[in-house]
């Protein structure tokens, strides 16, 4: 039976090596202790977790949710300290990346918990009795346990960081008599076929993002969304957009221009982190910004440890640095000085969405707000990053949540085209440039007209705009090219009205519209 878990946290803040003599070690630790209370919301969560540790069976599986930046590592490090102190049993902490292993081990040291990292170099544990806590990569530990070369005795508690990754479940069989505590910011499995409710019996939900912002623990996000047509993207077997289809879209000149435009409108001069879906895309981004005269670096998982360290050091110390990356910085990376997050990709992963934006949410004395530039309709798909979320419902009914995520076609139906100022200037002699396709379609149907009459009316308006702002037919036909985005938007809205929204049909309508527009321009100058 566990007890006395209400002792205030004494945050260990020391560096150095442990003394071999146990009494000297304890004396050394006490001399360096700096008392610091946990934040109230962290302490409340601890008490809830301890209730389960105290009352539930020894082999109970519990899940704990707390947003990125809320201090998950701090919370479970204090759990480890108190658990070992009260039970004298060992604790194993599992992570999926070596960077998280090192960060966790460092945090545990700060709490006075003597621990050992089980990495690829550790084949056996002849010294396991000298430690009460072990931090391990999931694949490494699984290999060691499978080979029966390594065994950890008297494990009472297993803590799983980033528990939404299903790679951890393969280790559950080795700890069938241990209490398992999963920790995550998003209690939604990375594999839709393996819901978290199948591996964890209960979920404890910590403070929400809105609450942490209100209390001053997280910075507030200012989100700017730029409409992006995603109909060309394909979904892979993992449930997210494929790298190939994403790279085909995000490497085209139009998207690169939109990215730079968004940066210059909202981010220029401030530290910016860009997330991409694909290494090739990130290199395109790098070259685009470099050609535009900006200092920019690229980082992906093919860089060596030395290269990565140098790039991140540059990013840390340069106030207006631009870093374009692929996946590698979504977890295990903490740079509080980031002021802009650019999502230069679309994702169907709620977890990834929160992870990417979370990289900018760290609060500093001079940083209360950070920018999120959304170039993948992600906010429309999942909701705003700082909106309330019912994690209990998502945990208990993940299929319902996933099935009701707003689809790309539904999102794009809400797009409203706005003519850029430089294009509007070319048509300054035209008082009215708006045309409501849906309204015109409804009127045509009610009047018994054919639906194509709507497009003919639209073509007439565009032709009139070109004629009003040109000296001759040749200028007018050249000017008509500037209307391509407006035409695509009108064609798309028309296709929604007639419920024929295939890409091939829209492409045919677009070409047909342009042919009729050129013909109508000729007619106007001959009249």
């Amino acid at each position: 039976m566990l007890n006395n878990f209400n002792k205030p946290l004494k945050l260990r803040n020391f560096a150095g090596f442990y003394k071999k003599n146990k009494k000297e070690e304890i004396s050394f630790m006490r001399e360096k202790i700096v008392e610091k209370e946990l934040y109230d919301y962290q302490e409340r969560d601890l008490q809830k977790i301890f209730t389960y540790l105290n009352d539930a069976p020894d082999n109970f599986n519990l899940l704990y949710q707390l947003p990125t930046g809320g201090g998950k590592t701090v919370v479970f490090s204090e759990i480890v300290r108190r658990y070992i102190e009260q039970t004298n049993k060992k604790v194993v902490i599992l992570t999926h990346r070596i960077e998280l292993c090192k960060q966790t081990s460092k945090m545990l040291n700060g709490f006075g918990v003597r621990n050992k990292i089980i990495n690829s170099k550790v084949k056996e544990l002849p010294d396991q009795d000298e430690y009460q806590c072990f931090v391990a990569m999931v694949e490494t530990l699984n290999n060691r346990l499978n080979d029966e070369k390594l065994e950890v005795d008297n494990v009472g508690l297993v803590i799983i960081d980033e528990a939404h990754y299903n790679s951890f479940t393969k280790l559950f069989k080795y700890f069938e008599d241990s209490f398992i505590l999963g920790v995550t910011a998003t209690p939604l499995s990375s594999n839709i076929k393996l819901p978290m409710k199948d591996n964890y019996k209960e979920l404890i939900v910590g403070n929400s993002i809105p609450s942490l912002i209100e209390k001053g623990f997280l910075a507030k996000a200012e989100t700017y969304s730029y409409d992006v047509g995603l109909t060309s993207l394909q979904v892979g077997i993992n449930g997210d957009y494929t790298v190939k289809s994403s790279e085909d879209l995000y490497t085209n000149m139009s998207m690169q221009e939109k990215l730079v435009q968004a940066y210059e409108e909202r981010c220029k001069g401030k530290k910016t982190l860009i997330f991409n879906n694909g290494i090739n895309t990130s290199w395109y981004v790098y070259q685009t910004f470099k050609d535009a005269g900006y200092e920019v670096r690229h980082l992906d998982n093919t860089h060596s440890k030395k290269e990565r360290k140098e790039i991140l050091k540059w990013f840390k110390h340069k106030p207006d640095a631009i870093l374009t990356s692929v996946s590698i910085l979504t977890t295990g990376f903490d740079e509080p000085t980031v002021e802009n997050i650019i999502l230069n990709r679309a994702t169907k992963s709620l977890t990834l969405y929160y992870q990417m934006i979370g990289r900018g949410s760290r609060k500093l004395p001079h940083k209360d707000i950070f920018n999120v530039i959304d170039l993948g309709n992600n906010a429309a798909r999942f909701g705003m990053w700082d909106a309330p979320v019912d994690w209990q419902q998502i945990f208990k009914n993940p299929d319902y949540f996933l099935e009701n995520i707003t689809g790309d076609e539904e999102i794009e139906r809400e797009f409203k085209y706005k003519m850029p100022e430089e294009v509007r200037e070319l048509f300054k002699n035209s008082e009215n440039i708006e045309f409501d396709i849906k309204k015109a379609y409804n009127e045509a149907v009610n009047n018994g007209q054919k639906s194509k009459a709507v497009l003919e009316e639209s073509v007439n308006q565009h032709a009139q705009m070109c004629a009003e702002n040109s000296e001759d037919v040749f200028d007018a036909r050249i000017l008509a090219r500037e209307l391509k985005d407006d035409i695509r938007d009108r064609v798309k809205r028309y296709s929604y009205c007639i419920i024929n929204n295939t890409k091939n049909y829209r492409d045919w309508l677009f070409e047909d519209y342009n042919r009729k527009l050129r013909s109508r321009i000729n007619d106007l100058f001959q009249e």
Side-chain angles (χ1 to χ4, degrees):
M1 185 69 68
L2 306 178
N3 51 43
N4 296 327
F5 277 119
N6 295 324
K7 295 181 180 179
L9 165 66
K10 297 181 183 297
L11 185 59
R12 277 71 175 169
N13 184 16
F14 65 89
F17 297 96
Y18 288 95
K19 304 292 188 293
K20 290 184 178 180
N21 183 287
K22 198 70 175 176
K23 290 183 179 178
E24 290 181 7
E25 179 183 315
I26 293 173
S27 175
F28 169 72
M29 289 164 58
R30 283 178 176 167
E31 289 174 4
K32 300 296 181 179
I33 285 173
V34 178
E35 290 196 10
K36 180 183 177 183
E37 297 290 334
L38 283 178
Y39 294 126
D40 59 350
Y41 70 90
Q42 293 173 330
E43 187 64 45
R44 283 196 301 270
D45 291 348
L46 276 171
Q47 298 310 313
K48 293 177 185 177
I49 293 169
F50 293 152
T51 297
Y52 281 94
L53 281 166
N54 199 20
D55 298 339
D58 291 342
N59 61 350
F60 193 84
N61 290 8
L62 177 67
L63 189 61
Y64 170 50
Q65 182 273 336
L66 189 66
T68 299
K72 294 188 296 294
T73 310
V74 171
V75 173
F76 71 66
S77 293
E78 173 60 2
I79 290 172
V80 172
R81 183 191 74 81
R82 297 187 191 184
Y83 182 85
I84 292 173
E85 183 180 277
Q86 294 300 312
T87 68
N88 202 33
K89 290 185 178 181
K90 293 177 182 176
V91 179
V92 172
I93 300 175
L94 299 174
T95 73
H96 72 293
R97 290 180 59 176
I98 189 61
E99 293 86 1
L100 292 175
C101 274
K102 293 176 181 178
Q103 290 175 16
T104 300
S105 178
K106 184 178 179 180
M107 181 69 75
L108 289 166
N109 287 338
F111 278 74
V113 176
R114 192 176 186 193
N115 67 91
K116 181 179 179 113
I117 295 178
I118 300 176
N119 54 27
S120 58
K121 297 178 182 178
V122 177
K123 308 298 182 184
E124 298 178 343
L125 285 176
D127 58 347
Q128 74 161 285
D129 291 339
E130 297 179 26
Y131 302 91
Q132 285 293 96
C133 182
F134 299 90
V135 184
M137 282 271 291
V138 58
E139 296 300 337
T140 302
L141 185 59
N142 186 60
N143 292 337
R144 298 293 176 273
L145 294 174
N146 274 335
D147 294 341
E148 298 182 351
K149 292 182 178 180
L150 182 149
E151 184 177 349
V152 183
D153 300 323
N154 194 30
V155 176
L157 175 63
V158 177
I159 296 178
I160 300 175
D161 193 14
E162 305 290 350
H164 51 271
Y165 290 108
N166 276 282
S167 56
F168 295 107
T169 57
K170 69 182 75 169
L171 286 167
F172 282 18
K173 61 186 177 183
Y174 297 109
F175 301 104
E176 291 179 344
D177 297 325
S178 303
F179 191 105
I180 293 179
L181 174 64
V183 183
T184 180
T186 50
L188 182 67
S189 175
S190 60
N191 186 336
I192 58 176
K193 296 180 180 179
L194 299 172
M196 300 196 79
K197 65 177 181 177
D198 289 356
N199 291 309
Y200 296 91
K201 296 179 180 179
E202 295 288 343
L203 168 67
I204 291 176
V205 177
N207 255 39
S208 66
I209 290 175
S211 176
L212 292 175
I213 293 173
E214 183 181 353
K215 293 179 179 180
F217 294 112
L218 292 179
K220 182 180 179 181
E222 295 286 351
T223 301
Y224 302 94
S225 295
Y226 292 74
D227 295 341
V228 178
L230 302 177
T231 52
S232 64
L233 294 188
Q234 297 177 351
V235 178
I237 56 174
N238 67 343
D240 207 350
Y241 300 110
T242 64
V243 172
K244 183 182 183 305
S245 64
S246 294
E247 294 212 300
D248 288 343
L249 173 62
Y250 283 89
T251 57
N252 72 50
M253 187 61 68
S254 175
M255 284 303 301
Q256 294 288 309
E257 290 175 352
K258 183 171 287 193
L259 170 61
V260 174
Q261 175 193 345
Y263 171 81
E264 292 179 340
E265 287 178 353
R266 305 294 182 183
C267 309
K268 192 171 183 178
K270 296 180 180 179
K271 188 167 297 184
T272 300
L273 179 57
I274 304 173
F275 288 102
N276 308 278
N277 188 17
I279 293 175
N280 196 35
T281 301
S282 188
W283 276 117
Y284 264 79
V285 171
Y286 166 81
Q287 194 61 50
T288 297
F289 275 94
K290 190 175 180 182
D291 291 345
Y294 295 105
E295 285 195 65
V296 60
R297 301 291 294 272
H298 158 85
L299 181 65
D300 64 58
N301 57 12
T302 66
H303 283 86
S304 67
K305 183 178 178 181
K306 182 179 179 181
E307 290 172 329
R308 177 178 176 177
K309 185 176 181 180
E310 186 272 325
I311 291 171
L312 292 181
K313 182 179 179 181
W314 168 85
F315 186 62
K316 180 181 183 65
H317 293 290
K318 183 170 176 56
D320 59 347
I322 304 171
L323 180 58
T324 176
S325 65
V326 187
S327 301
I328 192 170
L329 300 179
T330 53
T331 59
F333 171 70
D334 184 17
E335 181 48 63
T337 58
V338 173
E339 294 180 90
N340 301 305
I341 298 293
I342 298 183
L343 308 182
N344 191 45
R345 60 164 297 170
T347 181
K348 284 183 172 289
S349 168
L350 181 69
T351 295
L352 183 57
Y353 174 63
Y354 277 98
Q355 285 176 334
M356 291 188 293
I357 297 178
R359 298 309 109 192
S361 66
R362 304 291 185 180
K363 200 168 183 299
L364 292 173
H366 61 280
K367 177 191 166 189
D368 297 318
I369 296 174
F370 69 105
N371 292 325
V372 177
I373 308 302
D374 183 10
L375 294 170
N377 305 337
N378 300 291
R381 188 175 301 109
F382 298 118
M384 302 297 280
W385 169 77
D386 53 3
V389 178
D390 188 343
W391 290 116
Q392 288 288 359
Q393 184 185 55
I394 290 175
F395 172 67
K396 294 174 182 176
N397 301 289
D399 290 340
Y400 178 82
F401 169 77
L402 293 168
E403 289 168 2
N404 285 277
I405 290 176
T406 307
D408 292 331
E409 184 176 325
E410 186 178 349
I411 291 172
E412 291 181 29
R413 283 177 182 268
E414 300 302 318
F415 287 175
K416 185 173 177 60
Y417 173 76
K418 182 179 180 181
M419 186 176 287
E421 291 182 8
E422 61 271 20
V423 177
R424 181 66 180 93
E425 182 64 21
L426 297 174
F427 295 93
K428 59 185 178 182
N429 293 332
S430 300
E431 183 177 346
N432 182 31
I433 61 169
E434 301 291 335
F435 189 85
D436 191 329
I437 289 286
K438 187 174 182 179
K439 180 181 178 182
Y441 175 82
N442 290 334
E443 290 176 354
V445 170
N446 291 334
N447 294 330
Q449 295 177 287
K450 292 183 178 180
S451 63
K452 283 194 174 181
V454 174
L455 290 184
E456 292 172 4
E457 186 180 348
S458 176
V459 167
N460 287 337
Q461 188 212 29
H462 272 155
Q464 190 66 42
M465 287 167 54
C466 293
E468 289 172 347
N469 294 275
S470 304
E471 294 182 0
D472 55 43
V473 66
F474 302 105
D475 286 345
R477 293 182 68 170
I478 293 173
L479 191 59
R481 299 172 188 171
E482 300 296 331
L483 294 171
K484 63 181 185 301
D485 290 336
D486 195 13
I487 294 172
R488 285 197 183 279
D489 182 70
R490 294 187 185 189
V491 164
K492 180 180 67 176
R493 294 192 178 282
Y494 173 76
S495 70
Y496 290 151
C497 291
I498 62 173
I499 317 177
N500 188 344
N501 197 32
T502 64
K503 184 177 184 302
N504 287 340
Y505 185 65
R506 290 200 312 273
D507 288 344
W508 179 85
L509 281 178
F510 178 76
E511 295 299 329
D512 186 60
Y513 190 108
N514 280 285
R515 283 193 297 270
K516 291 178 177 177
L517 177 58
R518 289 192 294 270
S519 176
R520 184 61 185 136
I521 288 172
N522 289 337
D523 293 343
L524 287 176
F525 279 92
Q526 290 176 3
E527 292 176 356

